[in-house]
Structures are given as C-alpha cells and as structure tokens.
C-alpha cells in the first residue's frame, strides 16, 4: 500500500516500554511524535516481563541510569498519571554458600568504592527477619532496600496513554518495511503507507537489528525469550523480590497473592511469527531453584507459564545512543531482559539526544560501535 | 528425536475411542490418554460401571447412552496403551505430550497427535449465575452418570439446547422430575429453523428423539416455559429462584437449584496452545480449529476429531475419529491414498448423514444475545472477578482485543485458564468495537493447561538439551 501515513518531528519504531517512554519524553519537550508498532503496544517483552524495578546487581555501566530511573519510579504517577502498580519493596539476592557470600561481599565493596550505597550486605539474622520463609540453608544476602516492582503491561499501557494525551500518534499493527534518508529527514515505509520525520528512534527490541543493519551499523543482537511462571494465590509470605547468587532466579509475591517466578532461563522464540514456546525441561530447573529456596512453594499450583521476546547483546548491556552512521537517528534497544526498570530514564535520555544530540548521562559503554568490526 | 508412539490420542470419548480401535487395527502404535479413570468421555461417562451396578440409572440414561459400551469394549480389546487418569498439561509443537499421572509428570513423544478433547458447556453469564445453588446442566448429568445422584429439592433447568430437554427427561425417568424447564428459544426461531427441516429429516432419529423427550416432560407434568428471556438467578447467599420474562410478563419460579445450559462449544485449549489456525463459526457461534477433509489442523502432525473440531455430537464424533485415523495412517505411511479413501468412505458417509441435523439445531438453539453480551454488572471472569462492564471499559481505554484486556484486567488469568470467560470476552469486545469475534480473536493459551504444582514441575524428568535461545 502506498500513500502518506503522516508527518512528525520524530518517528519512533517500536511500541514497547522504551518506545513509549521515548515518545512521551519527546512530546514533553514539544516535539510531534509518531510511534510505529508492528503488533500492539506492549505485545512482547514490555507487557509480559517479570516487572522487577531493580537497581540491585546492575552492570556497573547501567548503575547511573538505573539510579536516575529509580527516582522517576518513586513518583511515576506524576509522569504518566497512573501508579503503574508500582510497589516499593526490597530486592534481595540470597547467598546459598560461602562462595556466594564472598561474591556478594566483593560486589558490595566494589559498589562502595565507586561511591554507591544502595546495595547493602545482610547477615543471616537480618536476612531471615526480612524473609522468614527462606530455606534454612540460606546464609546471608545483598539487598537494595529502596527498589520495588510494578505491573509491566499496565506500565507500558500507561506510558502509551499519557503519550497519546500529549499528542503522540500511534500506528499499531503497522509493520515498518524500510527506512530511507529523505533530504535532512527520513521516510519510513510501512504496510499502511509512508511516514515522514526529521528524526528516527529505533526502539524495536529484538527486531531492532534489521534497522541498524539498514543504517550500515549491524549489531550482534540475538532474540531471547525469558520464561516466567505464575502460581495460584498463596497467603502472604514474602514482601521482597528475591534472587539467587549462583543460579538464575527472580521471585516475588504480588499484592494479590500470586507468585511470579522468572530469572532468565530461556524458551524459544520466533521473530517472524512473534511466537514463544516454553522449554519445560529448562523451566523445571527454575521451579527447582524456587522450591529449594522457598520450601513452601513446592506444593503451590502453577497457573500459567509464558515467555516474552527480548533482544540480547553479547555483553548483556543495551545499545543506547546516536547512530554512528546517520545523523538524526537514536538507538535504544537490546536490554537483555533487564530494561523494564530503565524505561522511564532511558526515554528521557533518548529525548535529550533527539533534541540536543547530547545527554548528561554516561552512555559511552552503550555505544552501537562497540562491536563494530573494521574492514 | 525418536517417538514413543505413532499416535497419541488425547481424550477417550467417542472420537478418541473409535480412533484408538481403528488405529491399532491399522497397525499403528497408540497411546490413549484420558483425564478420567474410566473410558467414555463425558457422553458415555461411567458406561462400564453403570449397567452392572446401577440398572435404574442405566434405564434413566436411555439407549443412546448404551451405544458407548461397544466403543469401550472395542478399545479394551485392541492393542492400545490406554492411560486413564492422565492429565495432559502441555503439548509442544514438536509433539511432546506432558501429563501428570499417579502423582508424577511424564512426557511422551508421538509422530502424530489426535486431539479428541470434545466440547465444554458454553458459559451462561446471566445475573446471579455465580451464586451458590447454580450449576450447569452438564454437571447435573455427570452426577447422574457417575453416582446415580439427582439433586435434592426444586430443580429448575434453564436455557436451551438438546441437553436441557435430555436431562429433564432423564430426571423424570430417575423419579425426580424437575420443578420447571425454562427455555430461552424465541418463538420466531422455530419458524427460522423450519427452513432446515428437510435436511434434518435425513437424520430423522434426532427429531423423533426430541419429540419423545418433550412427551416425557408433558406426561410427567413438568411445567415448560417457552420463549423466556432476561433470565436472572435470584437469592442472597444461595439461589432461591429464577426470574425471567415471558410474553412481556415478568415471571418467577422458586428453586433450590438452578441449572443453566446454552449448548456446548469446542474445547480449544490444546489447539490454541499449539498455535493452530482457528476460525469463528457463525452457525455454532464459537471458535473452532481450521481442519481439512481429514481433520488435520494447520500444524503438521496434529488432527482433531469430535466436538473439539466443531460441534457434531457423539455419533458424529465416532465417525470423525475413524476418518481422522485414516488420514493419519496415510500420513504415517500405513495406508496408501486409495486404501485411505476406501477405508474412510463408510465412516464419512455416516458422518455426513449424522451431521444433517446440525443446521436445524444450530438455528433453533442459537444462544441469545443476553448470554453472549451480558449486562455491565454481570461477572464474566469468575476467577478474577471481572465484570462485562470492566471489559467494555478496557475497550474504551484502547484495549483492542482479548489479550490486551487480559493483561489489563487479569480476566482469563485465573486457574481456569480462561476456559470460562474466553468465549464471552471475545464476544463483548467484538460487540463493543462493532466487529466480530473472528476479527478480535481469542486469548493466547499458555501452559500448563491443567494445574501442576511447582514441585511436580521441579521433578520433571526430561532429557532434552538445555538452552534453546
């Protein structure tokens, strides 16, 4: 189909949390914005992730953004007119062995040396005071007490709704077929017509690689499908978000009593169809971890298992920054399964880059050039 | 990957039983998994035990029920690995079937999977339908078949569909005539259905049976209220009566138990989980998987026979099971194309004869709008307590389909996995958007299909390689 779909100052590809946040922050800076989404808002990782709002355990490079985003989360309603189901709660990583304890102590020391104080060591007594239902073999922990969790679909939907209220136009179920330079700006060819814009933002998650490639800066982005479990309601027994040190786990009890268990074990995904499939052999290991750390869980009923599609970079941190080849393009993708908490702040960074080409945040480690091969 | 069986059949009702017997005869290795401890499905439930131990119940259930005995006997005599009490909680696109049985979980792999999981009753969300003292007609029939029990007190049966009259008549035969039957078929519908009568005469046995059932009710003096609408279950903590409108007048019947029914719809959980293509069937007013002439789905290696592929009833299911197996045996190399066609011909002819009644029944018993699109204050998702009005509110906020409504409201996220609210939520959203259910779609169904404890999953023994991404 041809024809003009619209014109905007900024065209954002991708209606996940990062795309919606970028659109919202651009609109707040007075720009006209169009978001193009091949499915519907929050269809993939943004709508179905574990919802952890976590500074704990972040890659050193992500900490400044994570800290800035945490401040936004604590007053998220001011930003999007919805509390996004955000609940302040401790995030705690549990040590199950002496080696785990040593690793956590080393981590805490490294952060302190870098000037961060949000992560603190817990001795066994303090750990069990916070998490009485833990298995007795747990020995201590590392906590970020001012973190929390939120409802992912509701959050992304709230960002989209607020963006719409500020004039952002959403083109859902609209697939981007090609992007091309047109004068100083861009033409984005979609299945429903062409969009013209002065600036382009690539927030297409696991699907971002093809746009980077089109711009002459291919990236080693792979799809990943972290699997999640939710149980039937259980009487309240845990009000922190719990992880393990030596094995993947993310564990939390929601206010309605259900328990959401994830942590990064992967199912399979298909970028062409958007379908994910659960690998139960693999998910059994997550179930084992959860039941070993919280023995009460073994008898609980699983209601549903699912996985969302997300993009992953080889070094497990995202791409955030300006294009290395094309003026007017900003990338924010490849959050490797831990982008949810970063969403509010990264949208603001993207808006800064769109408007001024600069940002105060240290984003050099996220440069798209870091995997570029020469020659 | 080596398969444990040529064919895994899920469900031991008429389709699954007939399919298992024929598949074994054709030389396929067959596993027949069924949730119940005894074969027969819902329609022939407890068929092996009723006749011998409870002759009075057998008499009440009538001769059509007896038909199941032959199917069960044939399956028992065939070389089939029959696995009763097997609760299938996942089927993968690679045709691995995960099931719980005897306290543990197992996985079996098959070269072909035949889904024969039949139908489920269409939910009937009328005001008060979640009150204690409200059941479905199907649930009452299960009590009768399994334990020979009839409900105590004044039982009112309400709604429409063949099962409504059948159970009413079975209650009469069992010596417990219902206090009233309230039928929601509008008068004009009879006229509309007459157009399909000539075709229906090809399956005249069904018409005769319907007339017999109505005579039984009349003879027993059971009051039958026809053309009722605006059904509402009254009471506080417990149902005390059913209110409705008939001929412009408001009426009320006292009841200790109200049993609702609006026909049955295919159980799509497995085919949805597998991502098979589905279509909305306007005649049956429900989704069903898209099937070819041999009952194969859009996913290679998966077929559906019986009511799970579209409502045809127990006898049609039996024939469909045999036709499906002919197609499967050909796909697996056990029958040539000519052998397949020859072998399937009698079953296909019988199937077509039997299905001749469907257009008549579908027209006559089309569910009323008040059930498809309930009033705002009626609960549609019982697990998460979401009302029809909340779903309409989500649409107004921009939720374009059932999956967004599910994420937004949690409807369909409870232990029933959306079985109950799924059909209604698609109807409500379609209506609110001026669209149709086929266009707005249906919940994405996630595993496990049946409750599974975390401990059971933790103990799952699979030797699959880890790390697929």
């Amino acid at each position: 189909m041809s024809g003009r779909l619209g014109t905007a100052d900024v065209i954002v590809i991708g209606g996940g949390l990062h795309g919606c946040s970028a659109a919202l922050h651009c609109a707040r800076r007075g720009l006209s914005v169009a978001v193009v989404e091949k499915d519907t808002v929050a269809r993939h990782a943004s709508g179905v992730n574990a919802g952890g709002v976590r500074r704990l355990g972040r890659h050193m490079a992500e900490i400044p953004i994570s800290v800035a985003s945490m401040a936004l989360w604590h007053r998220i309603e001011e930003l999007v007119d919805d509390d996004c189901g955000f609940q302040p709660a401790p995030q705690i990583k549990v040590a199950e062995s002496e080696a785990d304890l040593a690793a956590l102590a080393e981590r805490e020391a490294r952060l302190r040396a870098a000037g961060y104080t949000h992560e603190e060591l817990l001795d066994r007594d303090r750990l069990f005071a916070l998490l009485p239902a833990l298995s007795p073999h747990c020995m201590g922990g590392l906590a970020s007490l001012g973190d929390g969790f939120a409802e992912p679909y509701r959050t992304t939907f709230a960002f989209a709704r607020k963006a719409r209220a500020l004039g952002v136009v959403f083109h859902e179920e609209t697939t981007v077929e090609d992007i091309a330079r047109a004068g100083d700006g861009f033409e984005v060819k979609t299945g429903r017509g062409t969009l013209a814009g002065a600036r382009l933002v690539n927030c297409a998650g696991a699907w971002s690689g093809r746009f980077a490639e089109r711009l002459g800066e291919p990236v080693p982005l792979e799809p990943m499908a972290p699997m999640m479990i939710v149980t039937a309601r259980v009487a309240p027994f845990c009000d922190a978000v719990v992880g393990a040190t030596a094995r993947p786990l993310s564990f939390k009890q929601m206010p309605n009593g259900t328990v959401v268990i994830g942590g990064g074990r992967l199912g399979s995904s298909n970028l062409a169809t958007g379908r994910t499939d659960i690998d139960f052999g693999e998910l059994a290991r997550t179930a084992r971890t959860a039941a070993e750390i919280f023995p009460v869980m073994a008898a609980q009923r699983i209601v549903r298992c699912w996985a969302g599609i997300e993009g992953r970079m080889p070094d497990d941190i995202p791409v955030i920054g300006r294009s290395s080849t094309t003026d007017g393009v900003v990338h924010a993708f490849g959050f490797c399964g831990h982008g949810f908490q970063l969403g509010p702040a990264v949208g603001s960074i993207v808006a800064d880059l769109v408007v001024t080409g600069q940002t105060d945040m240290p984003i050099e480690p996220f440069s798209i050039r870091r995997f570029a091969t020469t020659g | 990957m080596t398969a444990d069986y040529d064919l895994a059949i899920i469900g031991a009702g008429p389709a699954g039983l007939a399919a298992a017997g024929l598949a074994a005869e054709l030389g396929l290795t067959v596993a027949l998994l069924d949730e119940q401890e005894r074969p027969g499905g819902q329609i022939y439930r407890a068929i092996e035990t009723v006749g011998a131990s409870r002759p009075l119940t057998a008499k009440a259930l009538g001769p059509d029920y007896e038909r199941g005995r032959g199917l069960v006997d044939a399956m028992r005599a065939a070389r089939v690995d029959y696995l009763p009490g097997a609760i299938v909680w996942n089927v993968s696109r690679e045709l691995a079937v995960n099931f719980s049985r005897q306290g543990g979980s197992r996985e079996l792999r098959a070269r072909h999977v035949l889904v024969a999981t039949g139908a489920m009753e269409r939910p009937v969300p009328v005001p008060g339908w979640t009150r204690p003292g409200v059941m479905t007609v199907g649930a009452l029939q299960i009590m009768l078949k399994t334990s020979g029990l009839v409900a105590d007190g004044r039982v009112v049966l309400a709604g429409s569909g063949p099962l409504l009259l059948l159970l009413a008549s079975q209650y009469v035969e069992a010596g417990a005539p219902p206090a009233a039957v309230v039928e929601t078929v509008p008068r004009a519908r009879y006229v509309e259905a007459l157009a399909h009568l000539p075709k229906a005469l090809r399956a005249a046995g069904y018409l005769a049976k319907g007339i017999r059932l109505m005579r039984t009710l009349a003879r027993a003096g059971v009051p039958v209220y026809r053309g009722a609408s605006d059904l509402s279950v009254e009471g506080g903590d417990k149902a005390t009566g059913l209110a409705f409108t008939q001929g412009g007048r408001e009426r009320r019947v006292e009841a200790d138990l109200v049993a609702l029914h609006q026909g049955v719809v295919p159980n799509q959980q497995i085919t949805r989980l597998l991502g098979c293509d589905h279509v909305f069937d306007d005649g049956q007013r429900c989704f069903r998987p898209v099937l070819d002439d041999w009952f194969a789905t859009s996913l290679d290696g998966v077929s559906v026979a019986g009511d799970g592929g579209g409502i045809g009833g127990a006898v049609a299911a039996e024939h469909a099971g045999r036709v499906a197996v002919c197609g499967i045996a050909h796909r697996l190399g056990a029958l040539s194309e000519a052998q397949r066609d020859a072998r399937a011909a009698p079953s296909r002819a019988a199937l077509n004869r039997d299905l001749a009644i469907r257009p008549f029944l579908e027209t006559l018993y089309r569910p009323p709008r008040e059930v498809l699109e309930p009033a705002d204050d009626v609960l549609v998702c019982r697990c998460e307590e979401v009302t029809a009005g909340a779903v309409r509110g989500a649409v107004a906020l921009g939720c374009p389909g059932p999956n967004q409504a599910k994420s937004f409201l949690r409807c369909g996220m409870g232990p029933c996995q959306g079985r109950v609210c799924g059909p209604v939520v698609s109807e409500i959203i379609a209506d609110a958007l001026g669209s149709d259910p086929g266009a707005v779609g249906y919940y994405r169904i996630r595993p496990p299909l049946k409750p599974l404890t975390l401990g059971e999953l933790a103990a799952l023994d699979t030797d699959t390689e880890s790390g697929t991404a």
Side-chain angles (χ1 to χ4, degrees), chain A residues 40 43 153 157 161 229 233 256 258 261 266-268 275-282 284-285 287-288 290 297-306, chain B residues 89-90 93 273-275 383-384 397 400 404 407-408 410 413-415 417 444 446-448 451-455 457-458 460 462 465-469:
Chain A
T40 51
R43 164 68 181 87
Y153 183 84
F157 198 82
R161 192 143 43 113
I229 295 170
R233 292 183 165 91
N256 68 6
T258 59
I261 307 166
L266 304 180
S268 59
R275 185 185 161 90
T276 56
D277 282 287
I278 300 294
D279 177 342
F280 275 102
E282 193 59 12
R285 299 169 66 192
R288 228 167 286 147
M297 288 309 295
Q300 305 307 329
R301 277 188 324 161
I302 297 171
V303 170
R304 193 167 56 257
C305 304
W306 74 95
Chain B
W89 53 264
N90 184 49
R93 286 167 70 90
L273 173 68
L274 284 167
C383 303
E384 297 290 331
L397 281 176
Q404 291 78 12
S407 297
F408 202 71
R410 300 190 52 79
M413 283 201 180
Q417 277 279 28
R444 276 186 291 279
R446 307 292 197 184
L452 174 77
T453 65
L454 202 74
L457 174 58
L460 180 67
T462 59
E465 311 303 317
S466 64
T468 40

